Amino acid sequence: MAKNISILGSTGSIGINALNVVDHLSDEFNVMYLTAYKNGEKLIEQALAFRPKAVAIVDENSAKIVEERLKVEHIEVLVGREGLLEIAGKTDIDLMLNGLVGTSGMEPTVIAAKSGIDIALSNKESLVMAGDIIANICEKTGATIFPIDSEHSAIWQCLVGEKTEDVSRIILTGSGGPFRTRDLTSFSNITVDEALNHPNWNMGSKITIDSATMMNKGLEVVEAYWLFKIPANQIDIVIHPQSIIHSMVEMNDGSVKAQLGVPDMKIPIQYALTYPRHLDTFWERLDLTTCGDLSFHPPDTERFPCIQLAFDSLEKGGTSPAVLNVVNEYSVYQFLDNKIKFTDIPKLIEKAMELHHWIENPSLEDLIHLEKWGETFVIENNY
Ligand code: MN3
């Protein structure tokens, strides 16, 4: 029986890779819904190839060409943020893949989980913002989250058949990004182009900047905390510049399990879509005899203060991880716009974590309000 799926963010890096996976496993999946932010041309192309029931396009200026082109194909076109949320609420699917970028992905995750729909989750910000809320909803409705993030997919694969109480440590690996060895005194001169040049992974601009500041690893610590219910003091980060080991799990007896592969997001995407099966693929395989030496180092928290900020946010709990996430996100956009320096990103986050109105058990409305607060905070504090 083919699985009915929706793909949110289908024209982004994760969405395109997901449709590549679906294309080679076409007997396994029916694509029911697609959504895009503003790339109308790409969305049309995907809709014509995969024939979904409906698509949503968030940017209203891009909607017209999509509506005109898909009307004659009898594919429904929904528009705006409401259109996206309507698709997130569809219940005639087995699985929703959330490949949205940033905090905008939180509400769709919550909506699908409320309907008991399983979620293949690439949008880590959902869990960083609303991990507690989502975990509670999933417990009630039986919705399951299948991680797409490569580190979390690795941990998940290492944990198949294991009991959480037998795990002593999760070891998240990270490449260290493009500035692992750059002279620290020159960090304030880092340009947008330099930060967008990731050594191993080819990704969207938000996550690429997060990788350069290593906030991505910080967000992944929070994500791992909610996905695997492992306390923060049992989550370690190890820098592994080659990105071949995608993460590891250490058991109580000292046995360490690792998951390896070429750095290609199609592998974790496919596993999240086909779990518990590992179906055949035709893409590049890992060749250990040619991939070179693998090296490992401790993370440099002086160079990358975002890592410590993320651990601090987990320790404080409540709205602290959410404020870390939203202020990071808007700071990244300001940096991409050349409005602030690379080194301002952690400074703004630290300040916001001190100044924001902390709530112990935030509601979804509190978190949506916090997002607006974070946006204003970044604009008002951008020196
Ligand atoms: Mn990752």
Side-chain angles (χ1 to χ4, degrees), residues 192-254:
V192 172
D193 283 346
E194 286 170 337
L196 283 176
N197 189 17
H198 194 278
N200 305 349
W201 295 95
N202 189 358
M203 311 174 286
S205 56
K206 197 265 174 180
I207 185 171
T208 305
I209 301 300
D210 284 347
S211 298
T213 62
M214 288 207 70
M215 178 53 93
N216 183 49
K217 216 44 59 186
L219 299 176
E220 288 179 352
V221 169
V222 183
E223 184 186 12
Y225 173 84
W226 288 114
L227 280 172
F228 306 111
K229 316 275 191 287
I230 300 281
N233 62 9
Q234 287 171 251
I235 305 174
D236 285 350
I237 296 170
V238 169
I239 303 306
H240 165 47
Q242 299 82 17
S243 300
I244 297 297
I245 293 183
H246 298 308
S247 277
M248 293 173 265
V249 173
E250 184 190 84
M251 311 306 288
N252 287 335
D253 57 8

Side-chain angles (χ1 to χ4, degrees), residues 282-304:
F282 57 84
W283 41 76
E284 190 196 348
R285 297 297 167 110
L286 177 61
D287 181 349
L288 285 168
T289 64
T290 59
C291 75
D293 292 341
L294 304 185
S295 55
F296 305 91
H297 320 275
D300 184 341
T301 49
E302 188 198 347
R303 181 176 284 272
F304 300 112

Side-chain angles (χ1 to χ4, degrees), residues 27-320:
D27 295 343
E28 300 282 330
F29 302 104
N30 292 321
V31 176
M32 301 281 280
Y33 304 101
L34 296 172
T35 83
Y37 182 60
K38 63 175 182 188
N39 191 343
E41 299 287 347
K42 189 86 195 163
L43 182 62
I44 290 168
E45 181 194 314
Q46 293 175 337
L48 295 177
F50 292 92
R51 313 295 311 180
K53 273 170 81 173
V55 301
I57 180 138
V58 174
D59 179 51
E60 315 212 342
N61 296 322
S62 314
K64 204 166 177 204
I65 55 157
V66 181
E67 282 175 318
E68 271 169 14
R69 183 64 188 86
L70 296 187
K71 197 174 169 186
V72 290
E73 306 286 339
H74 306 289
I75 296 170
E76 191 187 355
V77 179
L78 302 165
V79 179
R81 174 84 182 161
E82 302 73 46
L84 166 67
L85 296 182
E86 190 177 329
I87 291 211
K90 295 287 185 187
T91 54
D92 55 345
I93 54 168
D94 302 301
L95 182 89
M96 178 185 94
L97 187 152
N98 185 345
L100 297 171
V101 174
T103 307
S104 67
M106 170 183 68
E107 263 185 289
T109 301
V110 170
I111 290 170
K114 274 186 181 161
S115 313
I117 298 292
D118 291 341
I119 301 158
L121 187 67
S122 162
N123 181 262
K124 66 191 81 179
E125 292 87 348
S126 290
L127 288 174
V128 179
M129 289 293 288
D132 200 16
I133 293 173
I134 293 166
N136 284 326
I137 294 171
C138 287
E139 206 171 302
K140 259 184 230 143
T141 64
T144 307
I145 294 191
F146 303 127
I148 284 180
D149 208 348
S150 61
E151 295 78 1
H152 304 73
S153 178
I155 295 161
W156 178 32
Q157 293 178 56
C158 291
L159 287 176
V160 168
E162 304 288 4
K163 292 192 173 73
T164 309
E165 67 253 36
D166 291 340
V167 174
S168 66
R169 216 158 46 109
I170 277 177
I171 305 159
L172 282 171
T173 54
S175 70
F179 307 131
R180 187 173 58 85
T181 57
R182 180 181 171 124
D183 178 12
L184 187 52
T185 60
S186 73
F187 264 42
S188 58
N189 305 325
I190 287 171
T191 66
V192 172
D193 283 346
E194 286 170 337
L196 283 176
N197 189 17
H198 194 278
N200 305 349
W201 295 95
N202 189 358
M203 311 174 286
S205 56
K206 197 265 174 180
I207 185 171
T208 305
I209 301 300
D210 284 347
S211 298
T213 62
M214 288 207 70
M215 178 53 93
N216 183 49
K217 216 44 59 186
L219 299 176
E220 288 179 352
V221 169
V222 183
E223 184 186 12
Y225 173 84
W226 288 114
L227 280 172
F228 306 111
K229 316 275 191 287
I230 300 281
N233 62 9
Q234 287 171 251
I235 305 174
D236 285 350
I237 296 170
V238 169
I239 303 306
H240 165 47
Q242 299 82 17
S243 300
I244 297 297
I245 293 183
H246 298 308
S247 277
M248 293 173 265
V249 173
E250 184 190 84
M251 311 306 288
N252 287 335
D253 57 8
S255 171
V256 177
K257 293 168 88 173
Q259 188 265 347
L260 292 76
V262 290
D264 180 344
M265 286 309 294
K266 290 197 291 300
I267 299 170
I269 289 170
Q270 176 165 315
Y271 188 64
L273 292 176
T274 62
Y275 171 83
R277 293 173 303 162
H278 290 273
L279 300 180
D280 211 4
T281 61
F282 57 84
W283 41 76
E284 190 196 348
R285 297 297 167 110
L286 177 61
D287 181 349
L288 285 168
T289 64
T290 59
C291 75
D293 292 341
L294 304 185
S295 55
F296 305 91
H297 320 275
D300 184 341
T301 49
E302 188 198 347
R303 181 176 284 272
F304 300 112
C306 288
I307 295 174
Q308 191 56 47
L309 290 171
F311 275 105
D312 292 348
S313 80
L314 257 186
E315 196 182 321
K316 288 177 183 144
T319 41
S320 293

